[in-house]
């Protein structure tokens, strides 16, 4: 048997009895998250591929650690501080290259018949990032050159570190078994964009079903459903804007609904839904504030139909 095929079959045979039933389940339990990440990194020669939605990819992982208190995963791509036989430190210009992600959840999904692990991180405000990394260092520069992440360059004990922090609340990273090198970085990006949109759509379709059992007089529940729809709409619009590389002056995670709707170029479906974008915005804003205004159940329903059509046709 070809060595590559043998490695793939070996990985899958190890994976199936332990994790097959978890495919497409969003896992938020920290102990289960650690178990899955460790499996993907330690199996198959212990050096998986890491693809980022807005960067390129890493061809290996030298080491990893977990911080239980902060739910942070540290992935080290290259550490030249103790071992640099090929002199690659001068090529990269830093002593350490790593990624830190504060993990909210993970999902196993299928990409080209291979189970891959997707990671969703929490958002961290600039103040929090500064508190975490501007500590015991002689110099630091924090920037956001990529919309999904924050880049930190700092000097600690005369050693230069380059740290990327995925910093938007959606799935932005994919861990791929080393044996699956036939999955390209572009294919991972495509999967990550689609997966994020699909999650929003599933939640919206579930909301439609839930609305059927809500009475018009139950204003509090209608407000909650409308507020969830607004959050879903914002999340999907952020992904659509990010996919199109739209630049904003503000931090992406702090953008509001009105900032994001410019990406919607195709609104021809509005007549079929019998609801237009201004109607949707008015309805969702009403649901998001203590306005004291009557919330129309039909308007919430039409708003959700509009959002589903918008994120699928733009």
């Amino acid at each position: 048997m070809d060595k590559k095929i043998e490695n793939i079959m070996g990985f899958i045979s190890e994976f199936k009895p332990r994790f097959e039933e978890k495919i497409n389940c969003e896992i938020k339990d920290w102990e289960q998250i650690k178990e899955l990440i460790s499996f993907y990194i330690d199996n198959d020669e212990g050096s998986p591929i890491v693809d980022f939605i807005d960067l390129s990819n890493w061809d290996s992982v030298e080491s990893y650690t977990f911080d239980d208190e902060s739910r942070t995963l540290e992935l080290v791509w290259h550490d030249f501080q103790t071992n640099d036989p090929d002199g690659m430190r001068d090529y990269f210009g830093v002593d350490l290259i790593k990624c830190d992600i504060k993990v909210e959840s993970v999902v196993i999904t299928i990409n080209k018949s291979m189970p891959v692990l997707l990671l969703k991180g929490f958002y961290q405000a600039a103040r929090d990032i500064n508190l975490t990394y501007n500590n015991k260092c002689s110099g630091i520069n924090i920037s956001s050159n990529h919309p999904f992440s924050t880049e930190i360059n700092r000097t600690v004990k005369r050693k230069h570190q380059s740290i990327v922090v995925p910093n938007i609340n959606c799935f932005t990273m994919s861990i791929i078994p080393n044996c699956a090198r036939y999955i390209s970085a572009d294919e991972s990006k495509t999967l990550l964009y689609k997966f994020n949109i699909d999650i929003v759509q599933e939640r919206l379709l579930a909301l439609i079903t839930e609305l059927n059992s809500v009475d018009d007089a139950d204003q509090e529940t209608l407000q909650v459903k409308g507020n969830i729809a607004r959050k879903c709409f914002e999340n999907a619009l952020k992904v659509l804007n990010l996919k199109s590389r739209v630049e904003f002056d503000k931090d992406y995670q702090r953008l509001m609904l009105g900032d994001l709707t410019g990406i919607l170029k195709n609104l021809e479906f509005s007549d079929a839904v019998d609801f237009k974008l201004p109607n949707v915005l008015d309805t969702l804003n009403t649901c998001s504030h203590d306005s004291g205004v009557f919330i129309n159940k039909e308007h919430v329903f039409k708003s959700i139909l509009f959002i589903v059509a918008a994120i699928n046709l733009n």
Side-chain angles (χ1 to χ4, degrees), residues 8 18 25 65 110 121 133 147 151 158 160 162 199 214-215 222 224 226 244 251 254 295:
I8 292 172
R18 295 180 61 183
C25 298
T65 56
I110 304 299
Y133 293 98
E151 291 82 44
R158 298 184 181 179
H160 300 297
S162 176
I199 283 182
V214 179
D215 189 86
L222 287 176
V224 169
S244 298
D251 186 339
R254 293 186 177 277
I295 298 171

Side-chain angles (χ1 to χ4, degrees), residues 58-75:
W58 289 358
D59 57 359
S60 62
V61 173
E62 288 187 1
S63 64
Y64 70 99
T65 56
F66 297 105
D67 186 303
D68 292 337
E69 184 176 349
S70 64
R71 291 177 64 105
T72 298
L73 165 68
E74 177 194 67
L75 294 173

Side-chain angles (χ1 to χ4, degrees), residues 275-294:
F275 223 52
K276 299 188 180 301
L277 181 58
N279 305 128
V280 174
L281 297 180
D282 286 345
T283 300
L284 299 184
N285 284 334
T286 298
C287 292
S288 299
H289 303 290
D290 183 23
S291 59
V293 176
F294 177 78

Side-chain angles (χ1 to χ4, degrees), residues 4 15 18 23 31 78 82 106 137 141 203 242 265:
K4 184 174 182 178
F15 169 87
R18 295 180 61 183
I23 291 176
E31 294 303 318
H78 289 304
T82 56
V106 299
C137 59
N141 179 56
R203 184 66 187 100
L242 287 161
K265 307 301 182 184

Side-chain angles (χ1 to χ4, degrees), residues 183-196:
I183 300 174
S184 70
D186 285 341
E187 287 166 335
S188 289
K189 293 178 197 296
T190 298
L191 175 71
L192 284 163
Y193 283 123
K194 183 178 185 301
F195 192 85
N196 280 299

Side-chain angles (χ1 to χ4, degrees), residues 19-59:
F19 304 116
E20 186 174 33
E21 64 181 19
K22 297 182 184 296
I23 291 176
N24 292 327
C25 298
E26 186 171 6
I27 297 167
K28 298 188 175 184
D29 177 78
W30 179 235
E31 294 303 318
Q32 291 186 52
I33 288 172
K34 290 195 294 182
E35 181 185 10
L36 270 166
I37 291 173
S38 298
F39 175 83
Y40 268 81
I41 295 177
D42 293 339
N43 277 270
D44 183 37
E45 302 173 2
S47 187
I49 300 164
V50 179
D51 286 338
F52 298 90
I53 199 171
D54 63 337
L55 302 170
S56 55
N57 68 297
W58 289 358
D59 57 359

Side-chain angles (χ1 to χ4, degrees), residues 112-168:
K112 297 181 72 173
S113 301
M114 177 60 69
V116 300
L117 188 65
L118 307 185
L119 278 66
K120 179 180 182 179
F122 286 106
Y123 169 73
Q124 300 177 71
R127 179 179 63 97
D128 296 326
I129 289 178
N130 188 64
L131 285 172
T132 299
Y133 293 98
N134 194 1
N135 184 25
K136 297 180 181 179
C137 59
S138 57
I140 188 169
N141 179 56
I142 301 174
S143 60
S144 296
N145 299 317
H146 300 88
F148 281 96
S149 58
T150 299
E151 291 82 44
I152 301 152
N153 288 283
R154 66 177 189 165
T155 303
V156 179
K157 297 180 180 179
R158 298 184 181 179
K159 298 295 185 179
H160 300 297
Q161 302 178 351
S162 176
I163 307 167
V164 60
V165 177
N167 203 28
I168 189 168

